[in-house]
Amino acid sequence: MYFEVLLDALLGEREILHSMECPVCGFDEIYYCDPVTLKQLGRACQGCNFVQKFDF
């Protein structure tokens, strides 16, 4: 639950763009995009508790 709240706070409304295996922990690393503009917002891995917001 905490991880979803963290994603909401940092990335806001989002859709899953794609996922791949995390090179650190082996869980899914998910890339997110804005549902309206389809610009990439960031990536996150729940296994590592890692969130990165992209600022273009």
Side-chain angles (χ1 to χ4, degrees), residues 11-30:
L11 301 179
E13 191 175 340
R14 64 200 176 276
E15 287 184 354
I16 295 175
L17 181 62
H18 66 88
S19 65
M20 58 187 280
E21 184 178 336
C22 178
V24 177
C25 69
F27 287 156
D28 284 339
E29 181 178 54
I30 301 173

